[in-house]
Amino acid sequence: MMAGLAIVWSQRDLVLSGFYNTVLLTLACLAISLPLGVLGAVFLLEAPNRLRRICAAFVDLLRCVPFLLLAYVVYYGLPELGLRFEAWGAGLITLVIYNTAYLIEIFRSAGMVLPREELEAARAFGLTTPLIYRRIVLPQIALSAAPVVGNQVIVMIKDSALLMIITVQELTFAANFLSTNYFTPFAPFAVAMLLYWSLCLIVELVVGRLIRLRRSRHG
């Protein structure tokens, strides 16, 4: 065990590089998929029935496709159509597509349970639809959906580990490299598990603060 930890320490630059890529992939995915999720949810809430059903079916399709299969399609399949991405870019695109579909459904569900009286009162006072969403709907959705979004972020962090299959050099890739090349199967994966755990704890702390904020607003 100690010898394995010594190897991990000697190769800490590789581990930290993989950890950095995992964090960067997660943050980049959040920065892109959160706004897309909100826009998609608003579209599904406001679009005409026929168009809404078509888009909802497409979102459901993306949610039903296994993440690893989607990664294969983006990295190995799209080049046949003339779309070729580097491994890191393909990994980010896969994460964004997959998680945006889930976030759309999360935000849409949160929007559907908002009190109708508030929206009707806002329209009665002459507020436009964009203003209603900006001042009333979206703030409430953000707070009410925070725990579910937090769970989705944790799923996002864990799904990033599967991107090693398409040679994205994230944390699990680094741990696997050390395990294979230095014949130490336990220490690298144990360290990787602790680093993943630390990321998930940070997400849980942020979500906890948002939950307390929601409770304070509701008295």
Side-chain angles (χ1 to χ4, degrees), residues 38-50:
V38 170
L39 290 174
V42 171
F43 181 82
L44 290 182
L45 289 170
E46 297 293 334
N49 287 336
R50 180 175 298 179

Side-chain angles (χ1 to χ4, degrees), residues 3 21 70 75 81 116 122 134 142 163 165 174 184 188 191-192 195 197:
N21 271 326
L70 184 61
Y75 189 62
L81 304 179
R116 298 293 99 184
R134 183 160 59 89
L163 296 177
I165 300 298
T184 173
V191 170
L195 291 174
W197 185 37

Side-chain angles (χ1 to χ4, degrees), residues 16 25 38 55-56 58 61 66 70-71 84 87 114 130 132 139 146 149-151 170 189 197 203 207-208 217:
L16 291 175
L25 279 167
V38 170
C55 293
F58 182 68
L61 171 64
L70 184 61
R84 187 177 300 275
L114 290 178
I132 290 173
V149 172
N151 287 337
E170 41 70 62
F189 292 119
W197 185 37
V203 174
V207 171
R217 286 193 172 187

Side-chain angles (χ1 to χ4, degrees), residues 5 27 31 47-49 62 69 81 96 113 121 130-131 152 155 199:
L5 289 175
L27 293 177
N49 287 336
L62 291 176
L69 177 59
L81 304 179
V96 168
V113 299
L131 197 58
Q152 189 60 37
V155 171
L199 289 178

Side-chain angles (χ1 to χ4, degrees), residues 42 47 75 86 164 196 200 206:
V42 171
Y75 189 62
E86 297 294 329
M164 66 166 288
Y196 281 118
C200 294
V206 173

Side-chain angles (χ1 to χ4, degrees), residues 104-214:
I104 287 174
E105 184 60 25
I106 290 170
F107 292 135
R108 185 192 69 85
S109 299
M112 290 181 66
V113 299
L114 290 178
R116 298 293 99 184
E117 296 81 3
E118 294 185 12
L119 304 182
E120 293 171 1
R123 292 190 177 95
F125 277 102
L127 272 68
T128 61
T129 298
L131 197 58
I132 290 173
Y133 270 93
R134 183 160 59 89
R135 291 189 175 182
I136 300 175
V137 176
L138 294 183
Q140 293 190 63
I141 286 178
L143 289 177
S144 63
V148 188
V149 172
N151 287 337
Q152 189 60 37
V153 175
I154 291 175
V155 171
M156 189 186 304
I157 293 170
K158 294 190 295 183
D159 282 344
S160 68
L162 296 174
L163 296 177
M164 66 166 288
I165 300 298
I166 60 171
T167 70
V168 177
Q169 298 183 17
E170 41 70 62
L171 181 56
T172 300
F173 182 96
N176 187 64
F177 180 87
L178 292 180
S179 175
T180 302
N181 288 274
Y182 291 90
F183 307 102
T184 173
F186 181 77
F189 292 119
V191 170
M193 288 173 60
L194 290 174
L195 291 174
Y196 281 118
W197 185 37
S198 68
L199 289 178
C200 294
L201 285 178
I202 292 172
V203 174
E204 290 179 356
L205 288 173
V206 173
V207 171
R209 289 183 63 87
L210 290 175
I211 292 174
R212 288 192 293 272
L213 177 62
R214 183 179 65 179

